[in-house]
Amino acid sequence: VSRAIKEWTSGYPNKAIKEVILHTGQHYDKNMSEVFFKELDIPRPKYNLSIGSGAHCAQIALMLSGIERVLLREEPDMVLVYGDTNSTLAGALAAKKLGLLLAHIEAGLRSFNMAMPEEVNRIVTDRISDLLFCPSKISIDNLRREGITSGVHLTGDVMYDSIMFYREKAEKKSSVLKRLVLSDKRYVLATIHRAENTDRALRLQGIFSALETISSDIEVVVPLHPRTVKMLKKNRGSIRAGSLKIIDPVSYLDMIMLERHAAVIMTDSGGVQKEAYFNRVPCITLRDETEWVETSSGGRNVIVGAVKEPILKAYEKVKKNRTVDYDENIYGDGKASRRIVKLIACRGREK
């Protein structure tokens, strides 16, 4: 989106958009924050609140206070929020409390599980947004069922834009496969970070027990999230991970390479589910539901939960299935960011 803003401003200087980036610091680990700004050439944030981790309500409260101060200082015409994090919700609430226009990227997603903090963030943000940029037709339908039709636009998915733009660069610049001594389609890539899995010992145990069993058939690579590291240490007596290739979180370009060349991806991440689809790699989702329901048709993404036996059955089924169709273009054409920027510049008017 930042890149599309630059393109728009260069082409339409009389309708130039000034972008001011505010980083809450919710994602503060160097491997999960700083590296992305550098590697993706994202403009450095003008503001960094450095909030860090914490309980949901305390974290949101600190964000609200910090974001409000910035908005009062900058007096923007519009606030743009992304996704479904606590930062998303805090930015949305601060904007509307100050009477500012609010735009939401990735609007209309629903897992229909209110126990997920992200689901609460999505619903509240969508309800108060003026412009809602939806990645798929299903997200449009979700909003319509909730009575939200004004300001809704089908734009496609900005993550697909990103994959399309950086895929070739990743092949040229990333050396992660060489560093980890991995061969094309000869390993499983697994990511586990959601609180519903990490904070519940039985679920975490089920997932890692399944990964340990799978590792006797194929190498299993696990970039480990700081939250997961903490919980594995806490449950060291009951959870084993000795046969897995555990690595630190990786950069975006390295992650693209790991995803593209994996035989199977296993994850509880929403973003990684989509990236598996973009990279035409079968996915097993270690959750009980997904907000990216489009990926789950045709055997592209199997939703299994966190119990060992269903995970193993899904792995065996996915391993044997060679007829998965990835040709359907469900998340747009790689130009979502340009559509979004045009709509922002025109205050939501299509023309």
Side-chain angles (χ1 to χ4, degrees):
V1 174
S2 288
R3 189 168 59 251
I5 288 174
K6 288 180 184 177
E7 291 176 3
W8 173 271
T9 298
S10 176
Y12 300 94
N14 60 322
K15 295 183 180 178
I17 298 173
K18 177 186 176 184
E19 180 186 33
V20 176
I21 296 179
L22 185 156
H23 184 13
T24 64
Q26 178 177 348
H27 295 102
Y28 56 91
D29 184 274
K30 184 177 180 180
N31 288 338
M32 300 180 68
S33 176
E34 183 178 326
V35 68
F36 292 95
F37 286 99
K38 183 183 299 182
E39 197 171 64
L40 304 186
D41 197 28
I42 300 171
R44 301 298 301 179
K46 184 174 180 179
Y47 301 94
N48 189 333
L49 303 183
S50 301
I51 298 298
S53 62
H56 285 284
C57 291
Q59 192 180 57
I60 292 170
L62 290 170
M63 290 177 186
L64 272 170
S65 178
I67 294 170
E68 182 182 52
R69 286 196 300 271
V70 172
L71 296 181
L72 288 170
R73 184 180 305 158
E74 292 288 339
E75 298 182 339
D77 299 297
M78 183 183 294
V79 174
L80 178 64
V81 295
Y82 294 76
D84 55 19
T85 65
N86 286 344
S87 299
T88 311
L89 178 60
L93 289 171
K96 294 313 291 182
K97 288 292 186 181
L98 294 174
L100 298 171
L101 282 173
L102 174 65
H104 182 204
I105 289 179
E106 282 192 1
L109 303 185
R110 297 293 182 270
S111 68
F112 303 101
N113 178 3
M114 289 297 289
M116 289 180 64
E118 295 87 353
E119 184 76 352
V120 176
N121 296 346
R122 295 179 199 120
I123 290 172
V124 175
T125 300
D126 283 343
R127 174 56 61 184
I128 62 178
S129 290
D130 300 289
L131 293 177
L132 301 99
F133 301 131
C134 298
S136 69
K137 291 179 180 178
I138 288 179
S139 53
I140 295 272
D141 293 338
N142 288 337
L143 292 175
R144 185 180 295 115
R145 280 193 293 270
E146 296 174 12
I148 302 173
T149 56
S150 178
V152 175
H153 301 275
L154 178 60
T155 59
D157 195 321
V158 296
M159 281 184 65
Y160 185 48
D161 296 16
S162 185
I163 286 285
M164 294 286 285
F165 187 84
Y166 287 105
R167 187 179 283 165
E168 187 175 338
K169 184 178 180 181
E171 291 285 353
K172 291 179 179 178
K173 292 202 169 187
S174 173
S175 62
V176 67
L177 298 183
K178 184 177 180 180
R179 293 199 313 269
L180 298 177
V181 196
L182 298 172
S183 301
D184 184 49
K185 305 303 178 185
R186 300 296 297 273
Y187 63 92
V188 168
L189 174 66
T191 74
I192 304 99
H193 80 282
R194 284 194 180 270
E196 65 191 82
N197 287 329
T198 60
D199 295 357
R200 295 162 70 179
L202 284 178
R203 291 182 70 91
L204 198 61
Q205 185 178 31
I207 290 169
F208 273 88
S209 180
L211 293 178
E212 282 268 299
T213 299
I214 291 168
S215 70
S216 65
D217 178 61
I218 188 172
E219 191 157 30
V220 178
V221 180
V222 188
L224 214 53
H225 189 283
R227 178 192 290 135
T228 317
V229 171
K230 178 181 176 183
M231 298 312 293
L232 284 180
K233 288 179 179 177
K234 182 178 179 180
N235 294 282
R236 188 175 292 158
S238 59
I239 299 177
R240 296 180 180 178
S243 65
L244 310 179
K245 187 183 280 287
I246 302 292
I247 62 174
D248 290 333
V250 296
S251 71
Y252 182 67
L253 296 184
D254 283 351
M255 191 62 177
I256 290 178
M257 287 294 288
L258 288 173
E259 290 168 343
R260 288 195 75 185
H261 294 278
V264 178
I265 291 173
M266 306 179 73
T267 187
D268 60 9
S269 161
V272 175
Q273 290 175 57
K274 282 191 300 175
E275 288 170 344
Y277 169 75
F278 297 153
N279 287 302
R280 297 171 170 253
V281 176
C283 183
I284 296 171
T285 293
L286 307 170
R287 286 165 49 189
D288 299 321
E289 71 288 304
T290 180
E291 61 275 16
W292 298 104
V293 294
E294 301 90 347
T295 64
S296 62
S297 62
R300 297 175 294 217
N301 184 10
V302 184
I303 318 299
V304 296
V307 178
K308 180 178 180 179
E309 290 308 317
I311 295 172
L312 295 179
K313 286 180 182 178
Y315 169 70
E316 290 298 327
K317 183 178 179 180
V318 164
K319 186 172 69 169
K320 295 173 183 176
N321 187 0
R322 304 296 180 192
T323 60
V324 178
D325 178 18
Y326 290 96
D327 292 334
E328 185 184 5
N329 202 5
I330 56 179
Y331 291 118
D333 56 4
K335 299 177 182 178
S337 298
R338 291 177 180 176
R339 292 190 186 92
I340 287 169
V341 169
K342 183 178 180 182
L343 287 163
I344 288 172
C346 300
R347 298 293 193 277
R349 296 186 293 276
E350 295 284 357
K351 293 183 180 181

